[in-house]
Amino acid sequence: MPASATAVFALVVVAYVSQSRRLSRLQVSAPISFTVIGAIVGGTLVREQVDPAVIRSLAEATLALVLFHDAAQVRPRELRVDAGLCARLLLVGLPLTILAGYGAARLLLPGAGVWLALLLAAALAPTDAGLGAATVLNPVVPERVRRLLNVESGLNDGLATPVVLFAIAAAGSAESEHGHAAVTALRELTIGLAVGLVAGVACSLLVAWAARSGFLDEGLLPVGVLMVPLVAYYGCVALHGNGFVAAFFSGMAYASVAERVRPAVAHPVDAAATEGDLQLAEQISVILGYAVWALFGVVAVAHLPALFTWAGLAFAVLSLTVLRMVPVALVLLGTGLRPQTVLFVGWFGPRGLASVVFALLAVEELSDVVALRPILGCIAMTVLLCVILHGVTAGPWATRFGSWAARVKPTVELEDAASHRVVAAGDGRRRRLGDSRRGEPGGSLTG
């Protein structure tokens, strides 16, 4: 990246941070700010094509760190509390969403082909709680609903990543190589899973042993934890595996072992302290997130008129409504959740940073594929609609839903509010997306 561009970006970050509280009160988030700045720069100042190497390096670093951080933020006890609901959304609802998106893409974009349609469906399946931060951080919303949204958004990007990467590989290969691509993807996925689990478990056990032995300088612990996704990602790449899968599962393994082992050690480092462990990873992911949103503005939004199609807009609208809300409604049947809650969960599934990173990876890998243009247009329009619509509705709808819950007192939504108090998983994602309301208490979603 040119030195001048880096300097300008750094200056913009300083300016945004200095005005972050004021912008937050005006409902102007980091995605809006940096996307607009990127679009202005891309439309007026950038005349040459962005270096694909820059796109790839930024996208890879951001996705690996975000996958690790989000997975590590989701505590195993959160999954145990609502295992049934989480399993429905992640193991059934997510595949249904991808399947529905694939069908819609084939219908509306027949020229995209099988693999680009799968790429579009999988790239827009993961949700991002940060774009609806006013919802998941509002204590008037029942704790169980907030936790459900955060656990879903923390894990579904990691589950969708292998599908996206396989679709990109298949779209870039010849017809005769698709079978080989499938075998290669399965092998890389297996290696990624194994390396991620080993790296996460080993690093977490090492930290626990060092704490018990008195060898650990807690001030340096966030630096060490930041290296865990690098160990997993690059170690896996060296073994010809899927580094993103490794980063994701290393985060899950690190948090799971920390929760089980650390309360037993003599040194005063407990499971709750893993929030502090992740502080540096969170802060760096904030900066990388800003850069991704700016690059999204330069690459996609600035050229949206050229990418726009009515079929793409129709897909974007369907993606935010039917393709998300119908699978959610189906998998939540029989849970006892009220229709108002099902509608609330279905609507507040915005597409955010993960979808943008997937699009950037596709741009770098498939730059010569002409049919990619309408796919990028769909992703760009969907994410932009999410930034606007979910940003506008999050606060008012959360307040209205919370008032309804306080008045009606729905049993299922409120049944565990008094008995389960869990550490929230969404604060890092909220800050990464620039919701800078520092006056809120510690980022806890439990109120």
Side-chain angles (χ1 to χ4, degrees):
M1 182 179 293
S4 57
T6 303
V8 170
F9 172 73
L11 180 61
V12 170
V13 171
V14 173
Y16 173 80
V17 170
S18 69
Q19 301 297 313
S20 56
R21 185 180 296 275
R22 176 182 297 180
L23 291 172
S24 176
R25 291 170 180 166
L26 297 174
Q27 303 300 316
V28 178
S29 64
I32 293 176
S33 301
F34 286 92
T35 298
V36 168
I37 292 170
I40 294 173
V41 171
T44 60
L45 300 179
V46 177
R47 300 303 180 186
E48 66 278 358
Q49 186 178 6
V50 180
D51 186 355
V54 173
I55 295 177
R56 182 179 184 87
S57 298
L58 179 60
E60 286 182 346
T62 302
L63 185 58
L65 188 55
V66 166
L67 290 173
F68 170 81
H69 182 262
D70 284 0
Q73 286 271 26
V74 177
R75 298 290 179 263
R77 62 180 176 273
E78 292 184 281
L79 296 176
R80 290 194 296 268
V81 168
D82 283 319
L85 293 176
C86 293
R88 284 172 179 251
L89 287 175
L90 293 169
L91 302 182
V92 183
L94 181 64
L96 284 178
T97 299
I98 295 176
L99 182 62
Y102 173 79
R106 295 289 284 163
L107 179 64
L108 294 172
L109 304 168
V114 173
W115 303 116
L116 289 181
L118 180 60
L119 167 62
L120 176 61
L124 289 177
T127 60
D128 195 330
L131 286 180
T135 297
V136 296
L137 289 172
N138 195 329
V140 303
V141 176
E143 176 187 339
R144 191 177 200 183
V145 177
R146 288 180 281 149
R147 182 170 62 246
L148 187 62
L149 289 170
N150 273 281
V151 171
E152 181 194 17
S153 68
L155 298 180
N156 58 15
D157 49 1
L159 298 177
T161 296
V163 182
V164 172
L165 296 180
F166 171 71
I168 291 176
S173 64
E175 186 73 26
S176 60
E177 298 176 345
H178 287 163
H180 177 68
V183 174
T184 301
L186 181 60
R187 176 180 59 82
E188 292 178 349
L189 176 63
T190 303
I191 295 174
L193 174 63
V195 171
L197 292 177
V198 170
V201 170
C203 291
S204 196
L205 288 176
L206 176 61
V207 168
W209 171 79
R212 181 173 58 248
S213 304
F215 300 149
L216 177 67
D217 182 345
E218 292 182 45
L220 290 175
L221 182 56
V223 177
V225 173
L226 178 63
M227 296 299 106
V228 177
L230 300 184
V231 170
Y233 179 84
Y234 288 106
C236 189
V237 169
L239 296 174
H240 306 289
N242 189 312
F244 298 117
V245 173
F248 176 72
F249 281 101
S250 70
M252 294 188 67
Y254 179 89
S256 179
V257 172
E259 183 182 53
R260 293 175 181 273
V261 175
R262 290 197 188 183
V265 302
H267 195 79
V269 180
D270 56 21
T274 53
E275 292 290 327
D277 298 359
L278 297 169
Q279 183 178 9
L280 184 58
E282 174 188 321
Q283 291 172 341
I284 292 180
S285 69
V286 169
I287 299 173
L288 291 176
Y290 291 168
V292 166
W293 285 113
L295 192 57
F296 174 64
V298 171
V299 173
V301 179
H303 303 95
L304 192 59
L307 299 173
F308 177 85
T309 63
W310 289 109
L313 179 60
F315 185 92
V317 173
L318 288 175
S319 181
L320 297 185
T321 54
V322 177
L323 301 182
R324 156 74 181 177
M325 299 172 78
V326 171
V328 167
L330 289 176
V331 300
L332 294 181
L333 285 174
T335 61
L337 294 173
R338 299 290 187 90
Q340 292 88 338
T341 304
V342 174
L343 180 63
F344 188 82
V345 172
W347 171 247
F348 285 107
R351 291 12 169 241
L353 195 62
S355 298
V356 173
V357 173
F358 291 148
L360 294 177
L361 287 173
V363 168
E364 200 280 332
E365 294 286 347
L366 304 174
S367 57
D368 297 330
V369 178
V370 177
L372 181 64
R373 180 177 293 269
I375 302 300
L376 295 177
C378 285
I379 295 176
M381 285 185 280
T382 303
V383 174
L384 279 176
L385 287 176
C386 283
V387 170
I388 297 170
L389 296 179
H390 289 92
V392 170
T393 60
W397 287 23
T399 301
R400 181 176 299 180
F401 179 73
S403 299
W404 168 82
R407 183 177 68 256
V408 176
K409 300 189 184 305
T411 304
V412 175
E413 287 83 344
L414 300 175
E415 65 182 10
D416 69 337
S419 58
H420 299 291
R421 309 300 295 178
V422 297
V423 177
D427 186 49
R429 291 188 292 280
R430 173 182 67 87
R431 285 203 293 265
R432 184 174 63 248
L433 292 174
D435 188 304
S436 306
R437 290 170 289 185
R438 302 303 182 191
E440 294 172 354
S444 174
L445 305 189
T446 61

